Amino acid sequence: MFEARLVQSSILKKVLEAIKDLLNEATFDCSDSGIQLQAMDNSHVSLVSMNLRSDGFDKYRCDRNISMGMNLGRLVYSDERELYVSLFFCLTHPPTCC
């Protein structure tokens, strides 16, 4: 199981909004130490390297190393009242996600 929660998600949302201008899709590598991302933009000019340590989250759990490919434009969701970024994934049997 993988779970990462932030009470103040606006900080992560700002980081992801900056990254999504460079990357359409990215693979996040999750381990017990945190979430890492390293990828080149489509034109191979910019390198994006991000490391979110597990102690920076309000609640963090990663039972085993997993890689999650995500569309960054869809990961960041905003409505009229508030900005939300949520990451919650429960892997039971790869690649089944519940």
Side-chain angles (χ1 to χ4, degrees):
M1 178 173 173
F2 171 73
E3 183 179 9
R5 290 188 187 181
L6 285 172
V7 170
Q8 202 172 17
S9 62
S10 61
I11 296 169
L12 180 58
K13 183 181 187 323
K14 289 176 185 177
V15 171
L16 293 176
E17 282 180 337
I19 291 173
K20 79 177 177 81
D21 291 338
L22 294 170
L23 305 172
N24 296 329
E25 295 180 348
T27 301
F28 293 84
D29 297 315
C30 305
S31 66
D32 59 349
S33 62
I35 303 171
Q36 292 81 33
L37 162 69
Q38 189 165 3
M40 294 288 293
D41 69 339
N42 292 337
S43 60
H44 292 273
V45 173
S46 300
L47 173 67
V48 175
S49 182
M50 180 182 75
N51 184 17
L52 303 172
R53 294 189 341 219
S54 60
D55 58 2
F57 290 90
D58 297 308
K59 183 174 182 181
Y60 188 87
R61 177 181 172 187
C62 186
D63 295 338
R64 61 183 173 89
N65 294 350
I66 55 173
S67 294
M68 297 181 290
M70 292 188 227
N71 181 311
L72 295 178
R74 292 182 182 172
L75 180 63
V76 178
Y77 170 80
S78 63
D79 67 12
E80 295 174 1
R81 293 174 284 126
E82 203 167 334
L83 303 174
Y84 295 101
V85 174
S86 62
L87 295 173
F88 179 79
F89 298 92
C90 172
L91 275 78
T92 53
H93 304 288
T96 305
C97 187
C98 59

